[in-house]
Amino acid sequence: MYDDNYTRLNQYRSLWILVFFDLPTETRKERKIASSFRKKLLDDGFSMFQFSIYMRFCASRENAEVHGKRIKNNLPEHGKIGVMQITDKQFGMMELFYGKKQVETDKPSQQLELF
């Protein structure tokens, strides 16, 4: 019983960070900058949700702030980037489809946090 209550409360405390971006890729230099931005997201533990949408699970608001600051430090000079945080509960209510077939949302893996 205690574990169910903790999990339920934890769904509101833990967050998902979603990064949406549309970066210019007309020139070789712009493609390199866009590729570098995506690589930095991957290096920081983000995974690709769609081509220009990356996401990362964070166990706490403080952890999400750390990753948010890293994103801001790596922003390219041009392009549009959006960063959104939603609770694990909100993320779990998302409906996903591949074509007309509905699929389950991924559960976050257990992560070890060191302070």
Side-chain angles (χ1 to χ4, degrees):
M1 180 76 172
Y2 175 77
D3 289 336
D4 289 338
N5 287 335
Y6 179 76
T7 301
R8 185 175 61 84
L9 294 173
N10 196 26
Q11 290 177 333
Y12 295 98
R13 187 173 184 272
S14 55
L15 300 170
W16 286 87
I17 300 177
L18 290 103
V19 180
F20 311 89
F21 57 90
D22 186 14
L23 302 176
T25 56
E26 296 294 317
T27 67
R28 186 176 199 174
K29 181 180 179 183
E30 289 173 338
R31 286 190 295 274
K32 185 174 182 177
I33 291 169
S35 179
S36 174
F37 181 70
R38 286 190 301 273
K39 185 176 180 325
K40 288 175 185 174
L41 289 173
L42 292 170
D43 289 345
D44 194 28
F46 283 81
S47 57
M48 186 171 72
F49 183 70
Q50 290 184 354
F51 289 123
S52 293
I53 302 173
Y54 284 67
M55 63 184 189
R56 186 186 200 292
F57 177 77
C58 296
S60 67
R61 185 163 305 282
E62 295 80 14
N63 185 245
E65 288 174 6
V66 168
H67 295 287
K69 286 179 185 176
R70 286 186 191 149
I71 294 166
K72 291 175 186 173
N73 288 336
N74 293 319
L75 292 175
E77 189 172 334
H78 301 287
K80 293 182 180 180
I81 295 104
V83 180
M84 180 171 66
Q85 296 180 7
I86 60 173
T87 65
D88 188 42
K89 180 70 172 176
Q90 291 168 320
F91 186 83
M93 293 187 301
M94 179 174 31
E95 292 183 293
L96 293 175
F97 298 89
Y98 289 116
K100 292 188 176 192
K101 183 179 178 184
Q102 188 169 6
V103 294
E104 292 291 319
T105 56
D106 292 336
K107 301 288 183 209
S109 59
Q110 292 289 62
Q111 295 181 358
L112 176 63
E113 286 189 35
L114 302 174
F115 296 94

